[in-house]
Amino acid sequence: MSKVSYYTAEGLKKLREELNYLKDVERPKASQAIGEARDKGDLSENAEYDAAKEAQGLLEMKISKMEETLANARLIDESQLDTSKVLVLSTVKLKNQTNGMEMKYTLVAESEADLKTGKISVTSPIGKGLLGKSVGDVAEITVPNGTLKFDILEITRD
């Protein structure tokens, strides 16, 4: 069963670019490596040929998986999203009840997550714990070293 994934326009563009790179650059490189290895003689004892064939198989598998992901990808219409609750693409301002620290996260699809830029996956423990919450709610999130409590201060769309 295929899983539908939701992407921003930027994330979908990145996915398409990566797939095109694999098809247009990496695939010809793999074929060339097989050709060069084949030219070196007896295929029954040619480790270079075996390695090139295996690399090509892995590349084709990656391309196939990416094509499936792209076929099941859906673009999120940001204008239709409700800002009263935390959803995908919500930017949430939180306050940690334990240490009083405030932080801001944007919830994104798993493939677009990047903690350095404040983008966390909706499938991460914090992402799951925030989904559906409203301003003023307290999100209790169980993490490996205990339970964190966050006050939801603000929900916006960037």
Side-chain angles (χ1 to χ4, degrees):
M1 187 80 194
S2 303
K3 195 172 88 173
V4 173
S5 299
Y6 294 93
Y7 290 87
T8 59
E10 176 190 344
L12 208 51
K13 182 177 177 246
K14 233 189 230 174
L15 190 64
R16 283 197 181 102
E17 286 172 355
E18 189 177 347
L19 179 61
N20 289 336
Y21 175 78
L22 291 176
K23 285 180 167 181
D24 301 340
V25 178
E26 292 298 323
R27 190 181 263 167
K29 275 187 194 173
S31 296
Q32 184 181 355
I34 290 171
E36 288 173 5
R38 191 182 307 122
D39 293 342
K40 292 186 178 168
D42 184 14
L43 296 180
S44 65
E45 294 178 13
N46 189 335
E48 200 174 318
Y49 176 78
D50 291 339
K53 285 296 280 182
E54 187 176 332
Q56 182 189 36
L58 292 172
L59 177 66
E60 290 302 325
M61 200 165 66
K62 188 173 181 179
I63 288 172
S64 173
K65 201 172 206 159
M66 215 173 234
E67 284 173 334
E68 184 183 333
T69 300
L70 207 49
N72 295 309
R74 301 290 177 268
L75 187 62
I76 298 169
D77 182 358
E78 296 180 50
S79 66
Q80 299 298 310
L81 295 175
D82 179 7
T83 55
S84 68
K85 289 189 176 118
V86 178
L87 303 166
V88 175
L89 295 186
S90 293
T91 298
V92 187
K93 189 174 180 184
L94 307 167
K95 183 177 182 183
N96 187 327
Q97 287 185 350
T98 309
N99 60 15
M101 233 174 88
E102 288 187 11
M103 56 208 88
K104 216 176 207 183
Y105 292 123
T106 302
L107 275 68
V108 295
E110 196 170 340
S111 60
E112 295 183 56
D114 180 12
L115 197 55
K116 283 184 240 131
T117 59
K119 294 179 178 180
I120 62 170
S121 168
V122 290
T123 58
S124 69
I126 292 177
K128 283 181 185 173
L130 293 175
L131 284 175
K133 298 281 189 263
S134 301
V135 173
D137 287 354
V138 175
E140 289 191 27
I141 300 163
T142 304
V143 291
N145 61 347
T147 301
L148 300 175
K149 290 182 181 180
F150 294 104
D151 293 321
I152 310 236
L153 304 176
E154 182 182 79
I155 301 169
T156 56
R157 302 258 170 256
D158 285 346

